[in-house]
Amino acid sequence: MAAGDGWTPLSRDAYAPIEDYGLVGDCSGAALVGLDGSVGFLCVPRFDSPPLFCGMLDHERGGTFALAPDGVVSARRFYRDDSAVLVTESRTPTGLVQVTDAFVLRPGARLRHDEPAAGGAMVRHAVVVHGTADLRVTVRPFGESKATREAGGWRLTCAEQSVSALVASAPALDSLDTTVTLREGEELCLTLDWGLADRPVTPARAREAVERTVRAWREWAGHIVDDLPRPAMVRRSAITLKLLDYAQNGAVVAAPTSSLPEYIGGSRNWDYRYSWIRDAAYVVFALRRIGLPEEAGGFLQWALHTAAWEDRPRVLYAVDGTLPGPETVDGTLRGYRGSAPVRWGNAAVEQDQHDVYGEILDCAFQWAATGGRIGPDLWHRLAALADRSRTAWHDPDHGIWEVRTPGRPYTYSAAMCQVALDRAARLARRLGLPGDPDGWSHDARKLTDHILTDAWDDTAGALTEHLGPGGGLDAGLLALPLRRVVPVDHPRMVATRHAIARRLDAGDGLLHRYLPEESPDGIGQPEGAFLLCSFWMVDNLVGHGRTDAGLDLFDRLCRRANPLGLLPEQVDPTSGAFLGNFPQALSHVGLVSSAVALARAERGLRPELSTEAWFR
């Protein structure tokens, strides 16, 4: 995909728009690179490592890793086709400069396998296409660090991050804050090497490493299905999801950043550099259907191995399967555009979220549906989770949106307990496993009836966020047909869809997930429109036979992406500006899933909103 043909005037704001950033990574760590040549966020060697640079969260104190010509007037950028290699072209009054950014992959890396692919280095390669340019180079990590000169370049010792890195350059840098003047055809190669491999830096070696990385990405991307609406967007979404895949074990992080705000100046700032069990079933469903079964299987294995064996399954984990440390506030950083606090860690790991039972059982169901083995020990744990979901659904919890108020019996959580019971029954019958399939099926049907009765509000004319009176509308309930809890054409589901479209409308197809003034969440501040909910609306429209309306909404949502094809968590409905951690995995999953639903409808196939055809 070579999006971003147009030249964009460079923002002079100290904080560039979130949509000005592109993602590079190596399926282990990642960085956001700004249109202005600065690295706004970089975590290595893992996504959830302490950031080495996080200037997006404080342009003065968050550190700087910049490579750009002075006096840029405008810039444009694109990814090398079907790769994660980013190219930025910058115009100045005296010339044109092209900078290529890549996290290089190790020689022989094969991205279709759950094995380390990371080369342990970021290459930044600049060439003056015509004219002359003064290239500004600044490398200053976040926090306390020490820089010492040695034969290969500059050694960075970063105690807070427990990282030692080598900054090497050709031509050599006289300091880590300097200007290099180049004429037409001349190059500057800058490498940040935290893997500390013995690799001399030359422009030729840099180009070779980048080309090797491009080839590895293109080989992987060659397996992505093309016969879908907006195929280039689907391919870029798939590559973005792969960039968020921790290749050593298959975990997928929600986003590569922390504390990018859901409302400018507000405190809705969370750390998303972890893997949510909730995401697994959605990600797997999407990736399997676009030709990426290995990635789907890897995430399934990780989710089952990590969560199913816990006495108290959590909704999120660090990428290595351990629990993140306590949520802390970083008082040294002022936050993106003053949006404090900046947080590391995520307190949602300690919340009760009963939907996790259904997420785990649905993962097991998909695992078995693709030929995975469910042994006796794993089945014993899964059956226990199904039994627990028989009563957990009417206990208060914190719901899919992880509110920070006292718990309520959320409708989505009850629905996912229904999923746990339904999938357990189907697994037991299909695979001849011990348990209570008849009882589980009975309780699943009964729970659907409870949801349709107890979550219904006559005044709202819709299913609401929690069981019992007084609940607000919740766009998360658009997922009920997708999880096969309530048929998409059930009258109460249709009424709920209409009510959500009317009351949670943010304009031009965007939806709020809920209204904080009607659904207290412990924050009490506004937020942007939540993109995933709009993709769920697409799926509901398609499932109800309104394919043209679904395609129109899908196209409008795709146009919300930045020129690189990347999507945020949320969008400011007034300005269109990106909000929240970026890029957001579930937004890209929503795009892929909706594309699949639309493609099936266009071929005359029924949408996959029923379990009846599963295991055929």
Side-chain angles (χ1 to χ4, degrees):
M1 177 178 181
D5 295 338
W7 291 91
T8 303
L10 211 61
S11 170
R12 301 304 175 187
D13 194 318
Y15 293 96
I18 294 172
E19 52 267 33
D20 274 6
Y21 286 87
L23 178 68
V24 294
D26 57 10
C27 304
S28 182
L32 294 188
V33 182
L35 189 63
D36 64 357
S38 67
V39 173
F41 208 96
L42 183 149
C43 292
V44 293
R46 290 186 354 188
F47 299 111
D48 51 5
S49 298
L52 203 57
F53 303 96
C54 55
M56 293 180 78
L57 302 181
D58 192 318
H59 73 97
E60 292 180 345
R61 305 171 188 168
T64 304
F65 184 21
L67 171 61
D70 283 339
V72 175
V73 176
S74 60
R76 64 180 181 182
R77 62 206 327 208
F78 54 90
Y79 283 110
R80 296 275 302 271
D81 286 345
D82 282 347
S83 82
V85 174
L86 180 64
V87 179
T88 304
E89 295 179 333
S90 300
R91 281 177 173 164
T92 76
T94 61
L96 173 66
V97 177
Q98 185 179 83
V99 177
T100 299
D101 286 302
F103 273 40
V104 293
L105 303 179
R106 62 176 178 79
R110 301 177 64 192
L111 291 171
R112 287 183 66 81
H113 300 271
D114 281 340
E115 60 185 33
M122 180 179 182
V123 169
R124 312 199 69 188
H125 178 252
V127 59
V128 178
V129 179
H130 65 73
T132 62
D134 293 330
L135 292 182
R136 188 71 187 172
V137 180
T138 306
V139 185
R140 177 172 49 84
F142 167 52
E144 295 294 328
S145 63
K146 180 181 178 182
T148 55
R149 192 162 193 170
E150 58 182 55
W154 291 86
R155 174 78 57 180
L156 292 176
T157 304
C158 306
E160 294 179 34
Q161 296 91 345
S162 299
V163 168
S164 177
L166 182 67
V167 179
S169 177
L173 302 177
D174 56 16
S175 78
L176 292 182
D177 188 3
T178 189
T179 298
V180 179
T181 300
L182 299 179
R183 294 186 294 273
E184 186 169 321
E186 292 183 332
E187 304 169 85
L188 184 146
C189 175
L190 182 65
T191 298
L192 176 71
D193 187 342
W194 56 91
L196 300 180
D198 181 16
R199 42 189 165 205
V201 175
T202 66
R205 284 180 177 269
R207 287 193 298 270
E208 178 186 350
V210 168
E211 292 305 317
R212 180 179 69 236
T213 299
V214 168
R215 288 194 298 271
W217 278 104
R218 287 178 177 168
E219 190 281 330
W220 175 84
H223 299 274
I224 300 170
V225 171
D226 271 333
D227 56 342
L228 299 167
R230 294 274 191 147
M233 287 292 299
V234 172
R235 295 175 79 80
R236 181 49 53 190
S237 289
I239 292 168
T240 303
L241 290 169
K242 184 63 178 177
L243 278 167
L244 301 179
D245 175 11
Y246 188 59
Q248 296 190 51
N249 59 17
V252 176
V253 296
T257 57
S258 175
S259 299
L260 294 182
E262 298 170 4
Y263 177 72
I264 301 299
S267 61
R268 294 182 181 274
N269 317 318
W270 317 112
D271 193 346
Y272 275 16
R273 299 169 304 136
Y274 304 110
S275 191
W276 267 253
I277 298 300
R278 177 183 301 125
D279 297 2
Y282 289 115
V283 171
V284 167
F285 184 88
L287 294 184
R288 281 175 52 202
R289 282 153 181 78
I290 59 169
L292 302 174
E294 286 84 359
E295 285 70 24
F299 199 5
L300 281 175
Q301 281 188 293
W302 178 87
L304 290 175
H305 177 77
T306 300
W309 300 93
E310 298 251 28
D311 289 335
R312 182 195 168 197
R314 310 301 177 97
V315 294
L316 67 98
Y317 294 87
V319 294
D320 64 358
T322 62
L323 297 181
E327 180 176 293
T328 60
V329 169
D330 191 330
T332 68
L333 296 170
R334 291 172 290 195
Y336 178 80
R337 298 191 176 183
S339 304
V342 169
R343 293 182 172 94
W344 309 122
N346 197 308
V349 72
E350 297 297 339
Q351 289 185 344
D352 290 322
Q353 296 183 33
H354 301 321
D355 68 305
V356 71
Y357 302 124
E359 311 296 356
I360 295 171
L361 265 296
D362 203 29
C363 284
F365 190 72
Q366 293 199 53
W367 176 244
T370 55
R373 179 179 179 273
I374 295 181
D377 291 340
L378 176 57
W379 175 245
H380 176 75
R381 297 296 306 153
L382 294 172
L385 293 176
D387 284 335
R388 199 177 304 173
S389 69
R390 284 173 142 155
T391 57
W393 62 269
H394 53 65
D395 295 332
D397 76 335
H398 294 88
I400 182 177
W401 306 127
E402 300 176 350
V403 298
R404 301 205 170 191
T405 57
R408 284 167 273 176
Y410 279 97
T411 303
Y412 184 91
S413 298
M416 292 309 298
C417 287
Q418 190 273 1
V419 169
L421 293 163
D422 175 84
R423 305 307 192 263
R426 293 177 186 276
L427 282 167
R429 290 193 181 110
R430 175 68 180 180
L431 303 178
L433 298 168
D436 183 17
D438 291 341
W440 289 328
S441 288
H442 174 269
D443 287 353
R445 291 191 296 270
K446 188 176 177 181
L447 185 44
T448 296
D449 292 340
H450 273 299
I451 290 167
L452 289 170
T453 301
D454 297 349
W456 179 260
D457 184 280
D458 283 326
T459 302
L463 300 170
T464 59
E465 64 183 342
H466 62 73
L467 305 179
L473 289 176
D474 176 7
L477 300 190
L478 293 171
L480 265 57
L482 315 183
R483 308 313 291 270
R484 302 160 178 86
V485 176
V486 177
V488 70
D489 55 355
H490 189 285
R492 292 199 164 181
M493 191 65 234
V494 174
T496 299
R497 172 168 58 80
H498 285 307
I500 288 171
R502 184 173 61 253
R503 291 291 313 283
L504 299 184
D505 175 40
D508 195 29
L510 297 175
L511 293 172
H512 293 291
R513 51 182 175 171
Y514 56 85
L515 300 177
E517 63 270 23
E518 296 181 6
S519 305
D521 59 9
I523 306 298
Q525 299 170 351
E527 62 174 4
F530 205 83
L531 278 180
L532 177 62
C533 296
S534 291
F535 284 114
W536 284 344
M537 180 64 81
V538 172
D539 297 343
N540 275 258
L541 290 169
V542 174
H544 200 63
R546 298 187 58 198
T547 304
D548 288 345
L551 182 59
D552 174 70
L553 176 54
F554 179 75
D555 283 339
R556 281 185 281 158
L557 295 173
C558 287
R559 289 196 291 271
R560 294 280 179 181
N562 75 359
L564 293 171
L566 303 180
L567 291 168
E569 178 187 34
Q570 299 186 24
V571 170
D572 183 325
T574 302
S575 67
F578 287 6
L579 295 170
N581 287 304
F582 171 80
Q584 172 76 335
L586 280 182
S587 297
H588 286 280
V589 168
L591 186 152
V592 171
S593 296
S594 293
V596 170
L598 286 163
R600 289 178 61 86
E602 289 171 357
R603 293 197 296 267
L605 300 175
R606 291 176 58 84
E608 297 177 282
L609 302 182
S610 166
T611 54
E612 298 305 315
W614 285 34
F615 278 134
R616 284 185 180 174

